[in-house]
Amino acid sequence: MQIQDLPYPDPGVPDARSGPRFLVWLGRNQLGGQVKALVWGLLHFLSVSALPFCVGFAVQAVVDHSGARLALAGGLLALCGFAVALGDTMLHRAAVTNWITAAARVQQLLARRTALLGSALTRRVAAGEIVAVSTGDVEKIGWFVEAVSRFTAAAVTVVLVCVALVVYQPALGVVVAVGLPVLALSVLPLLPRATRRADFQRERAGRATELASDTVAGLRVLRGIGGEELFLDRYRRASQEVRHAAVRSARMWALIHAIQVFLPGLLLIVVVWHGVNLAREGRITVGEMVTVYSAVMILTYPLRHFTEIAMAYSFSRPSARRAARVLSLERATDGEGSREAVVPTGDLYDPATGLLAPAGRLTAVVCGDPDAAGELAERLGGHTAEPSELPSALVGGVPLDELPLRSARSAVLVQDKDPVLLSGTLRELLDVPSSGDVSPEEALAAAQCGDVLDALAQGSLDADDPMDARITERGRSLSGGQRQRLALARSLVTAPGVLVLDEPTSAVDSHTEARIADGIRSLRAGRTTVVFTSSPLLLDHADRVVLVHEGEVAAVGVHRELLHSDARYRAVVTRETDDENAEHELSRLHKLEDLDDLEDLEEIEETA
């Protein structure tokens, strides 16, 4: 897999049982790239390690006054230099390719899992953690995947050079062969502590990111209630905790690096001291001593990769653990379904509550508990992510949880109460899968987005057409009502067979709300529409109003009838208190008594 071939046609099924297993799975799925990087790494490191032998050969040629051997040494040095440059270039190319392709694979897996779980993802995993996994954690996982091949090449090189030194000059080679493993293993006792500190730092950073994400999302509300400084202080404390954790982690890694510098220097001193004594005794030549000395100096280069792989693993392990946690989340039902991939039509029915939305009609649902309303709206869309013993909703008698996920979502579209607007132009926002029966202009008109188009046109001086005006991330440059209306227009464009809207007008004024109610009714004529609302303006436009109380249908009718006949319905819609409700009921009973008395009087008069 090359960078230009991304994205993957199929990123595969990850082993998300644990962080280390996920890292192994990633490496196993990139064996081709790993082997390629290993080959180029061996060429590079072996060429670098061959330089001391060439230098020692040249020094000995000078000592022996041999021009031919000196020329040969020069040729070998040039050949090694070319191999070093070629190997380093291609190793870097292969390593970066492994890094980017591994990160891209993880991002694709996360994107697919997010699409599969839908809105339930943020209820099971904090939004800040999702942001951390999809940004910084992805890069750290890719770093470890690409570092494995370079570390393997460095380890093989160190072993081969040690063997070559023992064969070339046993007296000094044995010292190097014993000393290098000690250097490589000297930092092992410190790695667990360094890993724990790195894990703690990543945990604190994740919490700070989560707090920042939540604060930014609720900034308008915080300013309204004067809580901005409170959350700012909380973020300051979280940020300081991250800083202290990072300093403690950096101190440990600085100690590891200091050991990696001190011990090779100590080994070099031992080799030089022992080599000088051997040269004085005539047991080795000057060229051999220079060769071994240069080899020890050069070997500090591949030895650095031992520290790098330890750092990469310690930083990538918590990242892989978080990614595996997200990727291990499953839906309550199989996304493939057990039925044929068809889009059913007909009445929408929820067996758990008894809610029935007749085909082709506008049904309004009143539910006193907003959380219960959200859960019911999600269940009406089918394939709820949370495990539940409640039966699935049916469209035309077909259970949605038995359909493939694509078919279920084509049959029923659910717009939750807090829809997200992606950054881009308005044209791109409305470029969604649709039946083509509703144009963007019709959807915008029905959602009363005229003032939104004007605001976008004024804010984008380089866009002549409001459809080409850019929308900032999550629509932050727009008001809550404007974002809500654009999201409604996007849902209307899709023109699904069944459209479920959860509080689609909670952030707009009453005049706009009345016009939106007319627009939805006219544009969705002949299609099934379910609106969760307590707004009298929307309820008055509905063909059928259903009151859901304590998890079951409590009343069915039209708005004006239920308003006078059902106290629970009236309490939700008019926000009456218990005392007001009791007074209203008493007044209604008095009117009925007066009516009965009047009827009795009329009956007496007729008898007389």
PDB file of all heavy atoms in Angstrom, residues 48-60:
ATOM      1  N   VAL A  48      26.656   1.883   7.205  1.00  0.00           N
ATOM      2  CA  VAL A  48      27.250   2.772   8.215  1.00  0.00           C
ATOM      3  C   VAL A  48      28.249   1.995   9.072  1.00  0.00           C
ATOM      4  O   VAL A  48      29.353   2.483   9.374  1.00  0.00           O
ATOM      5  CB  VAL A  48      26.150   3.392   9.092  1.00  0.00           C
ATOM      6  CG1 VAL A  48      26.760   4.123  10.286  1.00  0.00           C
ATOM      7  CG2 VAL A  48      25.297   4.355   8.280  1.00  0.00           C
ATOM      8  N   SER A  49      27.883   0.767   9.446  1.00  0.00           N
ATOM      9  CA  SER A  49      28.757  -0.032  10.313  1.00  0.00           C
ATOM     10  C   SER A  49      29.988  -0.531   9.577  1.00  0.00           C
ATOM     11  O   SER A  49      30.993  -0.898  10.217  1.00  0.00           O
ATOM     12  CB  SER A  49      27.973  -1.230  10.860  1.00  0.00           C
ATOM     13  OG  SER A  49      26.847  -0.797  11.592  1.00  0.00           O
ATOM     14  N   ALA A  50      29.938  -0.573   8.247  1.00  0.00           N
ATOM     15  CA  ALA A  50      31.108  -1.011   7.476  1.00  0.00           C
ATOM     16  C   ALA A  50      32.157   0.078   7.347  1.00  0.00           C
ATOM     17  O   ALA A  50      33.323  -0.210   7.019  1.00  0.00           O
ATOM     18  CB  ALA A  50      30.666  -1.474   6.084  1.00  0.00           C
ATOM     19  N   LEU A  51      31.767   1.303   7.608  1.00  0.00           N
ATOM     20  CA  LEU A  51      32.721   2.409   7.485  1.00  0.00           C
ATOM     21  C   LEU A  51      33.939   2.233   8.397  1.00  0.00           C
ATOM     22  O   LEU A  51      35.076   2.498   7.955  1.00  0.00           O
ATOM     23  CB  LEU A  51      32.018   3.737   7.777  1.00  0.00           C
ATOM     24  CG  LEU A  51      30.993   4.202   6.732  1.00  0.00           C
ATOM     25  CD1 LEU A  51      30.272   5.455   7.223  1.00  0.00           C
ATOM     26  CD2 LEU A  51      31.671   4.470   5.396  1.00  0.00           C
ATOM     27  N   PRO A  52      33.768   1.825   9.665  1.00  0.00           N
ATOM     28  CA  PRO A  52      34.966   1.645  10.509  1.00  0.00           C
ATOM     29  C   PRO A  52      35.953   0.615   9.945  1.00  0.00           C
ATOM     30  O   PRO A  52      37.174   0.804  10.043  1.00  0.00           O
ATOM     31  CB  PRO A  52      34.385   1.162  11.842  1.00  0.00           C
ATOM     32  CG  PRO A  52      32.993   1.693  11.860  1.00  0.00           C
ATOM     33  CD  PRO A  52      32.540   1.642  10.445  1.00  0.00           C
ATOM     34  N   PHE A  53      35.449  -0.457   9.352  1.00  0.00           N
ATOM     35  CA  PHE A  53      36.347  -1.454   8.772  1.00  0.00           C
ATOM     36  C   PHE A  53      37.121  -0.862   7.592  1.00  0.00           C
ATOM     37  O   PHE A  53      38.312  -1.142   7.418  1.00  0.00           O
ATOM     38  CB  PHE A  53      35.543  -2.679   8.321  1.00  0.00           C
ATOM     39  CG  PHE A  53      34.917  -3.443   9.445  1.00  0.00           C
ATOM     40  CD1 PHE A  53      33.630  -3.156   9.888  1.00  0.00           C
ATOM     41  CD2 PHE A  53      35.631  -4.447  10.099  1.00  0.00           C
ATOM     42  CE1 PHE A  53      33.051  -3.847  10.938  1.00  0.00           C
ATOM     43  CE2 PHE A  53      35.058  -5.149  11.157  1.00  0.00           C
ATOM     44  CZ  PHE A  53      33.777  -4.848  11.578  1.00  0.00           C
ATOM     45  N   CYS A  54      36.433  -0.044   6.787  1.00  0.00           N
ATOM     46  CA  CYS A  54      37.122   0.609   5.667  1.00  0.00           C
ATOM     47  C   CYS A  54      38.174   1.602   6.167  1.00  0.00           C
ATOM     48  O   CYS A  54      39.287   1.689   5.626  1.00  0.00           O
ATOM     49  CB  CYS A  54      36.114   1.326   4.772  1.00  0.00           C
ATOM     50  SG  CYS A  54      34.908   0.237   3.986  1.00  0.00           S
ATOM     51  N   VAL A  55      37.818   2.351   7.236  1.00  0.00           N
ATOM     52  CA  VAL A  55      38.773   3.322   7.790  1.00  0.00           C
ATOM     53  C   VAL A  55      39.983   2.593   8.375  1.00  0.00           C
ATOM     54  O   VAL A  55      41.143   2.995   8.170  1.00  0.00           O
ATOM     55  CB  VAL A  55      38.080   4.190   8.848  1.00  0.00           C
ATOM     56  CG1 VAL A  55      39.110   5.041   9.587  1.00  0.00           C
ATOM     57  CG2 VAL A  55      37.029   5.081   8.208  1.00  0.00           C
ATOM     58  N   GLY A  56      39.743   1.525   9.141  1.00  0.00           N
ATOM     59  CA  GLY A  56      40.853   0.759   9.704  1.00  0.00           C
ATOM     60  C   GLY A  56      41.732   0.168   8.616  1.00  0.00           C
ATOM     61  O   GLY A  56      42.977   0.145   8.748  1.00  0.00           O
ATOM     62  N   PHE A  57      41.096  -0.314   7.528  1.00  0.00           N
ATOM     63  CA  PHE A  57      41.861  -0.860   6.409  1.00  0.00           C
ATOM     64  C   PHE A  57      42.728   0.216   5.767  1.00  0.00           C
ATOM     65  O   PHE A  57      43.889  -0.015   5.395  1.00  0.00           O
ATOM     66  CB  PHE A  57      40.885  -1.459   5.388  1.00  0.00           C
ATOM     67  CG  PHE A  57      41.546  -2.176   4.262  1.00  0.00           C
ATOM     68  CD1 PHE A  57      42.163  -3.408   4.451  1.00  0.00           C
ATOM     69  CD2 PHE A  57      41.561  -1.626   2.985  1.00  0.00           C
ATOM     70  CE1 PHE A  57      42.777  -4.074   3.406  1.00  0.00           C
ATOM     71  CE2 PHE A  57      42.172  -2.288   1.934  1.00  0.00           C
ATOM     72  CZ  PHE A  57      42.784  -3.521   2.146  1.00  0.00           C
ATOM     73  N   ALA A  58      42.178   1.449   5.651  1.00  0.00           N
ATOM     74  CA  ALA A  58      42.934   2.551   5.051  1.00  0.00           C
ATOM     75  C   ALA A  58      44.091   2.974   5.953  1.00  0.00           C
ATOM     76  O   ALA A  58      45.212   3.242   5.476  1.00  0.00           O
ATOM     77  CB  ALA A  58      42.001   3.740   4.791  1.00  0.00           C
ATOM     78  N   VAL A  59      43.849   3.040   7.275  1.00  0.00           N
ATOM     79  CA  VAL A  59      44.925   3.423   8.207  1.00  0.00           C
ATOM     80  C   VAL A  59      46.063   2.417   8.150  1.00  0.00           C
ATOM     81  O   VAL A  59      47.252   2.784   8.119  1.00  0.00           O
ATOM     82  CB  VAL A  59      44.362   3.547   9.638  1.00  0.00           C
ATOM     83  CG1 VAL A  59      45.489   3.680  10.649  1.00  0.00           C
ATOM     84  CG2 VAL A  59      43.418   4.743   9.741  1.00  0.00           C
ATOM     85  N   GLN A  60      45.694   1.136   8.131  1.00  0.00           N
ATOM     86  CA  GLN A  60      46.732   0.116   8.077  1.00  0.00           C
ATOM     87  C   GLN A  60      47.490   0.161   6.753  1.00  0.00           C
ATOM     88  O   GLN A  60      48.704  -0.112   6.712  1.00  0.00           O
ATOM     89  CB  GLN A  60      46.106  -1.269   8.276  1.00  0.00           C
ATOM     90  CG  GLN A  60      47.129  -2.363   8.520  1.00  0.00           C
ATOM     91  CD  GLN A  60      47.972  -2.123   9.764  1.00  0.00           C
ATOM     92  OE1 GLN A  60      47.445  -1.672  10.787  1.00  0.00           O
ATOM     93  NE2 GLN A  60      49.284  -2.378   9.688  1.00  0.00           N
TER      94      GLN A  60
END
